[in-house]
Amino acid sequence: MATTNDLKNGMVLNLDGQLWGVVWFQHHKPGKGGAVVRTKLKNVLSGKVVDKTFNADVKVDVATVDKREMTYLYNDGDSYVFMDATTYDQLPISAETVGDAAHFMLENQTATVAVHEDLPLYVELPASVELTIEYTEPGLQGDRSTGGTKPARLETGYEIAVPLFITTGEKVKVDTRSGDYLGRV
C-alpha cells in the first residue's frame, strides 16, 4: 500500500480489481480546501485512458509488476513465444497482449515483458528498431516542391512510408511507437 503522495509516472495501481498505469500526475493545492492529486490513468489490459482525482494522503494499492528482459523466439500461429534469458523458461503470449509490437519484432530480438502474477500484461520494444526493406517500388524524382514518400514492406511484413530514395534491401530505422521512418542505418 502507498499513498497518493507517493505516485510516480509508470507505477501500476490496482483499483477495483483492475490494473491502471499512472501516465501523468499533479499535486494540486487549491486556495481553500484540502490538497488533491490529479492523475491520468491508463488501463493496462484495455488501453483506456481516464482522468481521476484523489484526495491527498489516500491509500492506494500498488500492483507488483515484474518487467523482465525476454527474447522473442517464434510465432506459433495464435501466440508469440518468448524466453526468459535468466531461467530459460518459455512464455507464450497472445497476439492481443503483444499488440502493435508484433509489426516490429524479429526472431531472437530482445523485448521487455511486463508480468503481474504470471499474467503477461504487455510487451515493450526499444524506441526504435533497425529493419530491412523487403520490397519497395523504385522511386522517381519528379517536379514536386517537397520530398515525397512511397510505401515499403519491411522484413516483418509491415508496411511503412519511406522517402523516394530508399531501395529494396536497405536497412532503415523505424520508430516502434508510431511506425514512422526515422532514417537509414
Side-chain angles (χ1 to χ4, degrees):
M1 292 293 267
T3 66
T4 53
N5 292 337
D6 302 328
L7 291 182
K8 302 252 182 293
N9 289 345
M11 282 179 92
V12 178
L13 307 176
N14 189 350
L15 302 174
D16 302 324
Q18 293 186 352
L19 297 177
W20 297 86
V22 177
V23 177
W24 172 86
F25 71 98
Q26 177 187 35
H27 293 278
H28 180 68
K29 174 77 172 101
K32 59 182 181 179
V36 295
V37 179
R38 295 180 180 151
T39 62
K40 190 173 294 239
L41 303 174
K42 180 178 181 180
N43 190 307
V44 173
L45 297 175
S46 69
K48 177 180 170 185
V49 177
V50 296
D51 292 327
K52 188 163 177 66
T53 303
F54 297 96
N55 290 329
D57 279 337
V58 171
K59 291 205 179 305
V60 290
D61 189 14
V62 178
T64 55
V65 174
D66 185 20
K67 291 186 176 184
R68 303 181 200 159
E69 288 293 315
M70 294 192 165
T71 304
Y72 168 58
L73 296 178
Y74 60 91
N75 180 357
D76 67 1
D78 53 321
S79 64
Y80 294 84
V81 180
F82 288 81
M83 180 182 68
D84 193 326
T86 55
T87 63
Y88 300 108
D89 291 337
Q90 292 188 8
L91 178 68
I93 300 177
S94 69
E96 295 83 34
T97 304
V98 173
D100 289 339
H103 300 310
F104 309 106
M105 288 190 321
L106 291 174
E107 293 179 0
N108 299 322
Q109 181 179 352
T110 303
T112 304
V113 178
V115 180
H116 173 69
E117 296 176 357
D118 294 330
L119 174 72
L121 301 175
Y122 58 88
V123 174
E124 206 172 73
L125 292 177
S128 65
V129 292
E130 296 175 0
L131 297 169
T132 304
I133 300 292
E134 190 175 82
Y135 177 76
T136 185
E137 296 286 334
L140 299 174
Q141 290 291 66
D143 52 348
R144 70 188 138 275
S145 59
T146 60
T149 60
K150 61 182 178 179
R153 187 173 63 239
L154 298 170
E155 59 187 309
T156 59
Y158 188 67
E159 281 207 1
I160 63 168
V162 297
L164 293 174
F165 59 82
I166 298 293
T167 59
T168 301
E170 283 193 72
K171 265 189 163 303
V172 293
K173 190 179 253 188
V174 181
D175 188 335
T176 57
R177 295 163 297 201
S178 63
D180 293 338
Y181 163 84
L182 296 176
R184 278 196 267 199
V185 177

